[in-house]
Amino acid sequence: MKVKTKFPAPKGVHFYAELRQRVNADFVSRDLSINANGLMWLKTFIFLSLFAATYLTIILSDFNGITLTLLTLMLGVVCAFIGFNICHDAIHGSFSANKQTNKALSMLFHLVGASPYVWNITHNIVHHTYTNIPGHDEDIEIAPGLIRICPEDKLEPHQRFQHWYAFPLYGLASLSWVLRKDFKKFFQQNIGSRENIHPKIEYFNLFFYKFLYYGLFIALPMIVMNVHWWQVLIGFVLLHLAQGITMGLVFQLAHVVEGTTFPSPDESGNMEEAWAEHQMRTTANFATQSPMAAFFLGGLNRQIEHHLFPKICHVHYGRIAVIVKQTALEFGIPYHENITFSAALVSHYRMLKKLGRPAVA
């Protein structure tokens, strides 16, 4: 069994205590809720309406192959946006102050083919606690043996080309998730150092909602649409390629770019820095000046603020980022940021290229 990783307790006047006090004071002074505002509900309506309209148009219309292909790719991207903007916040409990509202909205995660229960374990509990720690944060284990993300991993000869083939592989992430990943994570003995023990109802939920999803996206189109079964399967793959490349790029640009680190604990499981400082060194923002990124990416382009304040709805990240950045500067803590999406993409490409080759002494 893996040794449980522990972060040291911060001492004296420390970064995170000061930062929380400043952020809390900002919300109080503005008389604002930390949860969803009107913009958040508007985004929710827009993305769910797009999903319903696109899905129904695909299965009920009689469009030709090119139009259906474009609509299918669009549906895949919309599914990713639903995950980013609605489900991510709901599962974190930051969408609403009402737990039942969060639970109801988190169930929409099933519409993108993923289990909110498994995601809560792998993402909320493990990734957010042990960010970028080899052997603990399984979010950095992408196509093990094919893509080398962590310097601690063994270097394979073919990985010298990973900066070219990694991006197409990201497109397969969603397909793997819907068909394999949730089952694998659910039934493996541990996720990181966390032992997997599930309530009995979650065994039912895993299979029930997976097969409901397969019914909605494979069986029902085969029954209703005037196409061959193999065309439906091609459409299913295309949907997940679009969904996967959208998700894969956004997730990787937050933790696997130049400047971020992959620190390991000592033999006793002790980390060198306190948890908040660890988050600052392992996380990066991107496209922070883009209103489009802010609208579509659900705050995932501001991962620093999200990791430090996961209980705050993402529509507030742009404002509190000013406080986070200033406080980090005062405490001498790095604030990693790529101003544009393209800058982050290039940085990720360079990281892949570097990690695919032997370290230079």
Side-chain angles (χ1 to χ4, degrees):
M1 185 175 178
K2 294 179 181 177
V3 176
K4 187 173 182 179
T5 295
K6 302 176 287 294
F7 293 93
K11 299 177 182 179
V13 179
H14 59 90
F15 165 70
Y16 197 39
E18 179 64 23
L19 178 60
R20 283 185 299 177
Q21 188 278 325
R22 293 180 183 184
V23 170
N24 290 339
D26 181 71
F27 277 96
V28 171
S29 67
R30 297 171 186 267
D31 193 25
L32 291 176
S33 165
I34 64 172
N35 303 120
N37 58 14
L39 174 62
M40 184 67 178
W41 283 105
L42 175 62
K43 290 208 297 182
T44 301
F45 174 77
I46 289 172
F47 289 126
L48 291 181
S49 297
L50 277 173
F51 172 86
T54 309
Y55 174 79
L56 291 174
T57 300
I58 289 171
I59 68 169
L60 297 179
S61 68
D62 196 25
F63 287 124
N64 61 34
I66 295 177
T67 304
L68 279 177
T69 297
L70 293 175
L71 285 170
T72 299
L73 294 173
M74 176 181 170
L75 182 59
V77 174
V78 170
C79 285
F81 290 157
I82 288 175
F84 294 161
N85 288 276
I86 306 171
C87 304
H88 187 225
D89 278 46
I91 298 172
H92 271 293
S94 62
F95 192 109
S96 171
N98 186 297
K99 290 184 179 181
Q100 294 306 312
T101 300
N102 287 323
K103 184 175 181 180
L105 291 173
S106 71
M107 297 298 283
L108 295 172
F109 215 40
H110 294 298
L111 289 180
V112 306
S115 164
Y117 172 77
V118 175
W119 173 261
N120 179 61
I121 297 172
T122 60
H123 180 78
N124 293 13
I125 298 174
V126 178
H127 169 67
H128 269 260
T129 304
Y130 307 111
T131 311
N132 277 23
I133 298 178
H136 293 268
D137 182 7
E138 295 190 7
D139 277 13
I140 62 175
E141 296 178 7
I142 307 163
L146 290 175
I147 300 177
R148 184 174 184 250
I149 293 294
C150 174
E152 302 293 324
D153 292 342
K154 179 184 177 183
L155 178 63
E156 302 291 349
H158 57 268
Q159 289 168 341
R160 63 181 299 185
F161 305 109
Q162 69 174 11
H163 53 293
W164 295 114
Y165 65 71
F167 295 96
L169 279 182
Y170 292 159
L172 300 177
S174 180
L175 197 62
S176 173
W177 198 345
V178 72
L179 297 175
R180 171 183 173 273
K181 181 180 175 181
D182 278 337
F183 296 109
K184 177 182 180 297
K185 299 294 184 184
F186 189 91
F187 287 104
Q188 67 188 45
Q189 186 175 357
N190 299 286
I191 296 179
S193 60
R194 183 191 185 278
E195 186 178 2
N196 259 346
I197 301 176
H198 311 297
K200 290 182 180 179
I201 187 62
E202 294 302 337
Y203 288 85
F204 170 81
N205 287 341
L206 178 66
F207 287 96
F208 175 79
Y209 286 108
K210 282 291 184 182
F211 283 100
L212 179 63
Y213 179 82
Y214 302 149
L216 288 172
F217 285 85
I218 298 177
L220 186 61
M222 285 183 180
I223 295 170
V224 174
M225 295 178 70
N226 186 29
V227 295
H228 298 291
W229 64 268
W230 53 268
Q231 291 174 306
V232 171
L233 294 183
I234 290 175
F236 184 79
V237 171
L238 288 175
L239 181 149
H240 282 285
L241 287 176
Q243 185 173 321
I245 195 69
T246 305
M247 294 190 311
L249 287 178
V250 170
F251 290 150
Q252 296 313 311
L253 300 189
H255 296 291
V256 190
V257 291
E258 293 163 309
T260 57
T261 60
F262 298 82
S264 295
D266 62 22
E267 293 181 357
S268 300
N270 298 309
M271 296 297 295
E272 183 176 345
E273 292 188 298
W275 176 83
E277 285 81 351
H278 173 87
Q279 297 302 318
M280 296 297 291
R281 297 187 189 279
T282 57
T283 309
N285 288 350
F286 65 91
T288 50
Q289 305 303 314
S290 169
M292 185 176 294
F295 186 86
F296 286 103
L297 301 186
L300 296 180
N301 62 314
R302 290 193 177 274
Q303 282 279 317
I304 293 174
E305 287 70 32
H306 172 60
H307 271 250
L308 294 174
F309 298 99
K311 293 297 183 181
I312 295 179
C313 184
H314 74 262
V315 289
H316 304 294
Y317 290 167
R319 191 184 75 258
I320 70 172
V322 178
I323 303 172
V324 175
K325 192 171 186 178
Q326 178 60 36
T327 308
L329 179 65
E330 291 176 18
F331 280 79
I333 296 173
Y335 186 93
H336 302 300
E337 183 176 24
N338 287 295
I339 300 301
T340 65
F341 178 85
S342 58
L345 197 62
V346 170
S347 182
H348 179 60
Y349 170 88
R350 287 197 293 251
M351 276 285 285
L352 288 173
K353 188 174 183 179
K354 178 182 178 181
L355 289 166
R357 301 185 179 189
V360 178

